[in-house]
Amino acid sequence: MTLTYLEKLEAESIHVMREVAATFSRPVMLYSIGKDSSVMLHLALKAFYPAKPPFPLLHIDTTWKFREMIAFRDRTAAELGLNLLVHTNQDGVAQNVNPFDFGATAYTHMMKTLALRQALDHYGFDAAFGGGRRDEEKSRAKERIFSFRDSKHTWDPKNQRPEMWRTYNTRVNRNESIRVFPLSNWTELDVWQYINQENIPVVPLYLAQRRPVIRRDGMLLMVDDDRLRVAQDEKVEELQVRFRTLGCYPLTGAIESTARTVPEIIQEMLTVRTSERQGRAIDSDEEASMEKKKREGYF
Amino acid sequence: MRMVLEDDMLIEQDAHVTNTFLRVLTCGSVDDGKSTLIGRLLYDTQLILDDQFSALKRDTKKHGTTKGDDHLDFALLVDGLEAEREQGITIDVAYRFFVTPKRKFVIADTPGHEEYTRNMATGASNADVAIVLIDARKGVLRQTRRHTFIASLLGIRHIIVAVNKMDLIQYDQERFEAICGAFQAFSETLGFRSVGFVPMSARFGDNVITASPNMSWYRGKSLLSHLEAIDADEDRVDQPFRLPIQLVNRPNLDFRGFSGQIAAGRVSVGDSVVVAKSGQTSRVKSILCGRDNVETAVDGQAVTVVLEDDLELSRGNMLVAPQNRPHLADQFMAHVIWFHKEAMIPGRSYICRTEVDSIGATVTTLKYTIDINSFAQKAATALQMNEVGVCNVSTQAPIVFDSYRDNRNTGNFVLIDRFTNATVGAGMIDHPLRRAHNIHWHAVDINKHARAALKLQTPRVLWFTGLSGSGKSTIANMVEKLLHARGKHTYMLDGDNIRHGLNRDLGFTQEARVENIRRAAEVAKLMADAGLIVLVSFISPFRSERRMARELFEKGEFVEVFVDTPIEECARRDPKGLYQKAMAGEIKNFTGISSPYEAPTTPEIHLRTVGHEPLDLAMQIEKFLDDA
């Protein structure tokens, strides 16, 4: 009896979650509503069954998420009876920080990175789960599963704790914390195959459907509400599109696709020739931007 | 080639889910063609996407070391990382993933130089197989031996020796066979289960994925076929059952389950199991895997087990097979790899972390270090960064473990610094020490409480720390007089006096100072156990040793007294003329001059001596004891 690849990944992730629950005093799970969060939540429900996961979910709401994401989030928390915390950087709201006038970098820093730091400090969390995977991006490939942050939430890539076997160093001093990535060793394909195998609900935006979009800077942006400023020379088209990743709608590009079911997505993935985060405006905004953001405390 | 693979993958799509998984470590330096090999594997297994492929074509023309358009320079695919490596960022482990229709792979890519031994060890700890790259022109080198040794030390059982750059030696069969022979000769004793040899050219793809037309004399498997064929799971399923307990799942009074990931063997409903630390026996009532009740679970699965009896069992303990139990001991011998720039010193106290247990521990003896190039044993007093040593370790309470040789999951530990929480070392347990079996605490009826009651006092240890000449002994002396006058039973341990007797074999190196404090602390502990109030007057310059001393005692028993005198004042007083000598360079390792003093941050009593009479300070301590 040999475990399959997905069974091994599942067991590793569950082991990591249990280590956190057993050794930290105030853990939290960052819930971004995307497919990775859906998988992470599903694993947490398994890890502690029949108990509920012994930590709350935290969503950093930038106020610019797709409407379908917010609906999905609230429905999921209600159906599962989970403790969902939602935090928005109110300073940013007061200053009307938005992706158009402030640029992707400044906007993300205010509404995501700073907002996250505010929330972690406010609640005093000493461990925070994130859905990051090593196949996503070069700097993630080097990050530990238990990734240490100092009291200012800073990641020091040159000074990471060696991580051997399944023996994790879970110790932190006051005000220090650990970001924990239980999906480190999963690939995008694994995530979809697991979603398929376990029948995990995901936001319908991942599945192809006719949606109103405009073309801007080589990206297909969905017109999710009337805050998207459509220029005179831009025209709103109805195209059959879906999203490979989900974030803030003015910064997340759609792809044209006919994949209307999860098996069709997997089929599409096996032939797709571009990388997953290509649709994210924020990543290409500046050179080596992911590593820089991570060092500042972004997930 | 690309299209064919693509079609295969489409056909095999459903099979992916049942595919197996292999963790691969690559060892070799840049010159051996490691980057080229990894680039080649990613490319030939379709992991290189369009945008990356056009960049590769462009870069090959611009920077590539290969000539002509036909051959791409695959090393450039990982080139971005190499550039970062120079800045010291990727002197670390990077994980890459690739998939074939038969299997999924994760490659731990680690640098090969000697100063990165710890990084290689990190990558090796979870690997099933190691690819050892050898440059066909150079044959077996020092670094080949080192990489192979570390792989063996970390318990990797399968090795593939990739003899690369065969194109540069005209695909010479004799040369290849000579290299295989040389490798076998030195690796015979390292305990590998399988060693495969592949003559290869990563640059041109010979024998990487498909058989090479240039080496028809080679009838063996390609590198990828080797990787696809290795059966790494055979290793633990047939071993005795082990379930390290991570947490107790207790959502309500009707359910009490024990959660963990099975570390060896299998377990079924109805099986007898034993709690490793207490020896209590029960039977398995049910097994949860996720939300499903299962009849049987095996090595690697994360489960929650419910027992028929209500036993004392919590995190750090283990459920095990009754016929074949793990060791339970507080002393053991282990191979230790040191990670930290501050050397490991015997006698210093660390946190020992196993998969699920965490406990104070001391390396009592460093028996020898191992030269990782020649495998020779060397005597040493400290273990430096990147060194491997064989040590005796003593823990504050017994822990459950197997020999690392028998089980990598239950036979490992890491050592953690108590102040910074840095992971400073990692260990692989060889065996328990015999004396741990035979020496049992002798339970006595007359205990500390009884002895102290007879003396009408509470045992205490007043630990005076401060620079030489700060006034420790003067003040301690006065405190003892005050206490004696009140009928208290006291004893004073003075640094100088102890060094004349018990510690006369010790010098003043950092290692010797650690041992000096350890002995004083142990003697103080015996005296406190006898019911005495003990006054210890030692410079004790290092925080970690004072902490180690503190942890020997019950809560509130240990009173740290910081005798705080500025070094200028100590040097001015200079009662023994030592500062003068130290400043003249006649005394080595003199605290405050040529050796550091780490001041206490939160002592129970902080005495600033300048401007105060010793008697007033002594009375301050007396008052503290009365109030406490």
Side-chain angles (χ1 to χ4, degrees), chain B residues 400-418:
Chain B
V400 184
F401 60 89
D402 289 292
S403 290
Y404 188 77
R405 196 178 50 244
D406 295 333
N407 191 320
R408 287 162 87 182
N409 293 323
T410 54
N412 76 65
F413 61 92
V414 298
L415 293 174
I416 298 170
D417 184 276
R418 287 169 166 275

Side-chain angles (χ1 to χ4, degrees), chain B residues 127-130 148 151-153 155-160 183-184 187-197 226 229-239 299 404-408:
Chain B
D128 303 308
V129 50
T148 311
S152 126
L153 181 68
I156 294 178
R157 301 291 175 85
H158 304 277
I159 296 280
I160 300 175
F183 187 93
Q184 267 164 338
S187 65
E188 232 167 27
T189 56
L190 294 177
F192 297 118
R193 187 162 296 167
S194 80
V195 180
F197 297 91
H226 262 297
I230 284 170
D231 183 6
D233 286 313
E234 62 184 344
D235 285 341
R236 281 200 312 267
V237 179
D238 297 326
Q239 286 188 9
D299 172 48
Y404 188 77
R405 196 178 50 244
D406 295 333
N407 191 320
R408 287 162 87 182

Side-chain angles (χ1 to χ4, degrees), chain B residues 338-557:
Chain B
W338 202 246
F339 293 147
H340 207 259
K341 55 183 187 297
E342 202 170 301
M344 188 279 287
I345 297 175
R348 192 160 268 186
S349 171
Y350 302 97
I351 301 286
C352 171
R353 176 74 147 85
T354 64
E355 183 192 328
V356 294
D357 214 349
S358 178
I359 189 152
T362 308
V363 175
T364 49
T365 316
L366 172 57
K367 295 164 79 96
Y368 53 86
T369 62
I370 300 174
D371 183 317
I372 54 175
N373 294 303
S374 68
F375 314 160
Q377 300 177 2
K378 296 189 294 190
T381 55
L383 194 61
Q384 308 293 337
M385 184 158 76
N386 289 315
E387 285 187 344
V388 176
V390 173
C391 309
N392 289 345
V393 180
S394 162
T395 52
Q396 279 175 350
I399 60 168
V400 184
F401 60 89
D402 289 292
S403 290
Y404 188 77
R405 196 178 50 244
D406 295 333
N407 191 320
R408 287 162 87 182
N409 293 323
T410 54
N412 76 65
F413 61 92
V414 298
L415 293 174
I416 298 170
D417 184 276
R418 287 169 166 275
F419 296 102
T420 63
N421 290 326
T423 304
V424 290
M428 290 136 286
I429 301 177
D430 294 302
H431 54 73
L433 293 176
R434 197 166 290 278
R435 60 178 183 270
H437 289 304
N438 298 334
I439 298 182
H440 295 284
W441 285 106
H442 191 59
V444 285
D445 297 327
I446 307 301
N447 57 20
K448 172 156 67 176
H449 182 75
R451 292 183 204 104
L454 196 65
K455 299 181 176 70
L456 302 171
Q457 66 186 35
T458 310
R460 297 275 187 177
V461 173
L462 295 169
W463 190 282
F464 294 80
T465 172
L467 294 167
S468 176
S470 59
K472 295 183 298 298
S473 298
T474 310
I475 297 168
N477 216 352
M478 283 185 180
V479 174
E480 190 172 26
K481 276 190 201 161
L482 289 171
L483 294 173
H484 187 79
R486 293 169 57 180
K488 302 292 180 190
H489 296 248
T490 59
Y491 195 85
M492 176 138 137
L493 295 171
D494 180 87
D496 289 341
N497 298 346
I498 295 283
R499 277 191 176 278
H500 283 127
L502 177 63
N503 288 356
R504 73 175 162 217
D505 56 326
L506 299 176
F508 288 88
T509 62
Q510 200 170 352
E511 296 83 3
R513 282 173 173 238
V514 171
E515 177 61 13
N516 185 39
I517 299 302
R518 190 192 68 79
R519 290 187 198 171
E522 289 287 356
V523 170
K525 183 183 163 75
L526 292 175
M527 289 184 164
D529 199 52
L532 298 180
I533 296 171
V534 193
L535 301 96
V536 185
S537 170
F538 271 62
I539 298 174
S540 43
F542 304 121
R543 249 176 236 135
S544 53
E545 276 65 66
R546 294 195 300 265
R547 158 111 71 145
M548 180 259 294
R550 177 186 293 272
E551 286 181 353
L552 290 175
F553 298 94
E554 288 168 26
K555 205 170 172 349
E557 205 169 67

Side-chain angles (χ1 to χ4, degrees), chain A residues 52-95:
Chain A
K52 292 234 167 97
F55 38 75
L57 305 184
L58 171 64
H59 178 231
I60 300 300
D61 192 346
T62 59
T63 72
W64 289 90
K65 299 292 173 191
F66 292 90
R67 284 174 299 170
E68 274 187 78
M69 289 174 72
I70 301 300
F72 181 87
R73 175 194 78 188
D74 294 342
R75 201 165 61 237
T76 302
E79 274 173 13
L80 298 173
L82 299 173
N83 179 10
L84 170 73
L85 309 171
V86 177
H87 179 81
T88 299
N89 180 357
Q90 295 302 337
D91 302 342
V93 172
Q95 293 170 51

Side-chain angles (χ1 to χ4, degrees), chain A residues 1-23 41-43 45-52 54 80 133-136 138-146 148 155 157-174 176 183-187 189-191 193-194 196-198 244 262-264 266-276 278 288 291 295, chain B residues 2 6 9-10 13 16-23 46-51 80-81 84 87-90 92-95 97 99 104-106 118-119 121-123 125-126 128 154 231 233 236-237 246-247 249-251 255 259-263 266 288-292 296-304 315 337 339 351 353-356 358 404 408-409 412-414 416-424 426-428 547:
Chain A
M1 186 168 159
T2 304
L3 302 191
T4 67
Y5 183 66
L6 286 179
E7 283 173 330
K8 283 196 180 179
L9 287 175
E10 181 188 67
E12 178 183 75
S13 304
I14 287 175
H15 176 260
V16 166
M17 290 182 175
R18 288 171 173 171
E19 281 301 284
V20 171
T23 57
L41 178 56
H42 183 82
L43 290 165
L45 294 170
K46 281 193 170 191
F48 303 101
Y49 183 84
K52 292 234 167 97
L80 298 173
R133 308 187 318 264
R134 284 170 174 160
D135 75 324
E136 278 179 83
K138 259 198 279 183
S139 69
R140 289 218 204 272
K142 287 170 254 162
E143 187 158 12
R144 304 286 189 251
I145 295 176
F146 282 74
F148 177 80
W155 180 53
K158 293 182 196 177
N159 198 17
Q160 301 196 74
R161 294 176 174 177
E163 192 165 88
M164 303 184 68
W165 305 292
R166 311 170 185 160
T167 304
Y168 300 107
N169 178 351
T170 53
R171 295 173 65 90
V172 289
N173 286 323
R174 216 177 129 73
E176 296 169 346
L183 306 184
S184 286
N185 290 323
W186 296 59
T187 63
L189 184 59
D190 300 330
V191 166
Q193 283 176 331
Y194 190 69
N196 190 37
Q197 175 188 299
E198 303 281 304
R244 283 180 78 184
V262 173
E264 282 168 13
I266 294 170
Q267 195 82 7
E268 186 184 276
M269 283 226 39
L270 289 168
T271 50
V272 76
R273 302 303 306 155
T274 50
S275 58
E276 179 184 11
Q278 196 207 29
E291 183 175 325
R295 294 174 68 119
Chain B
R2 290 160 66 79
E6 219 158 71
M9 290 175 75
L10 284 176
Q13 180 206 320
H16 278 160
V17 178
T18 52
N19 262 343
T20 56
F21 176 37
L22 196 74
R23 294 170 185 264
Q46 282 286 294
L47 263 285
I48 304 304
L49 301 170
D50 279 353
D51 36 341
L81 291 170
E84 287 171 300
Q87 300 159 30
I89 295 173
T90 48
D92 210 321
V93 192
Y95 296 91
F97 304 84
V99 57
K104 292 209 177 191
F105 298 90
V106 51
R118 58 199 183 120
N119 307 92
T122 302
S125 69
N126 284 319
D128 303 308
L154 271 294
D231 183 6
D233 286 313
R236 281 200 312 267
V237 179
Q246 288 186 277
L247 55 85
N249 189 333
R250 186 151 214 200
F255 186 91
S259 299
Q261 189 172 9
I262 299 177
R266 61 180 69 224
L288 271 174
C289 188
R291 288 184 243 195
D292 304 321
T296 298
V298 299
D299 172 48
Q301 282 184 298
V303 295
T304 298
R315 179 174 171 85
I337 299 184
F339 293 147
I351 301 286
R353 176 74 147 85
T354 64
E355 183 192 328
V356 294
S358 178
Y404 188 77
R408 287 162 87 182
N409 293 323
N412 76 65
F413 61 92
V414 298
I416 298 170
D417 184 276
R418 287 169 166 275
F419 296 102
T420 63
N421 290 326
T423 304
V424 290
M428 290 136 286
R547 158 111 71 145

